[in-house]
Amino acid sequence: MTTRIAQISRHTALATMTTAGLLLITAHPAGAATEIPAPSCVEYYQSWRYTDVHNGCQDTVAVTVEYTDHQWAPCRVLDPGNWATFSGYGPNGNYVTGLWTCTPDRVGADNP
């Protein structure tokens, strides 16, 4: 015999697993991140809510930001001297773990 509490617990567990799976699917950037760190001339500055990235290189670069919670920011193309603001940094102790080069997809190639 299954009690009502056992049924609710199974439904809650299934919903939690489904949500976790969806978060893992969406955790990767819009463009494919490479295993190559961004050049040292690309720098980031964290604020309370956002991460600002500056391309101090002489070449155009495509970069993404990785955070401690394994969240990835969309791939952005930065011309020399340009800045981009990435969302995702927050008040829960989450911070940037690295900048990576990436391959922008067709949709993400345009900087908003």
Side-chain angles (χ1 to χ4, degrees):
M1 175 176 203
T2 304
T3 65
R4 179 77 176 139
I5 292 175
Q7 289 176 338
I8 292 171
S9 296
R10 279 191 228 134
H11 291 295
T12 302
L14 180 60
T16 302
M17 289 173 42
T18 302
T19 302
L22 289 173
L23 289 174
L24 287 174
I25 290 170
T26 60
H28 295 286
T34 66
E35 294 183 12
I36 302 169
S40 60
C41 50
V42 179
E43 300 176 312
Y44 68 90
Y45 305 91
Q46 296 181 120
S47 66
W48 177 80
R49 178 74 176 99
Y50 300 99
T51 301
D52 294 316
V53 177
H54 176 251
N55 179 7
C57 304
Q58 294 182 354
D59 297 316
T60 299
V61 295
V63 295
T64 184
V65 180
E66 180 184 18
Y67 296 94
T68 53
D69 65 357
H70 303 291
Q71 174 185 346
W72 289 87
C75 184
R76 301 279 299 271
V77 177
L78 294 171
D79 290 326
N82 281 2
W83 289 81
T85 300
F86 294 86
S87 62
Y89 179 75
N92 297 326
N94 193 19
Y95 58 89
V96 175
T97 58
L99 296 176
W100 299 90
T101 59
C102 56
T103 305
D105 61 9
R106 289 183 175 268
V107 175
D110 297 328
N111 286 334

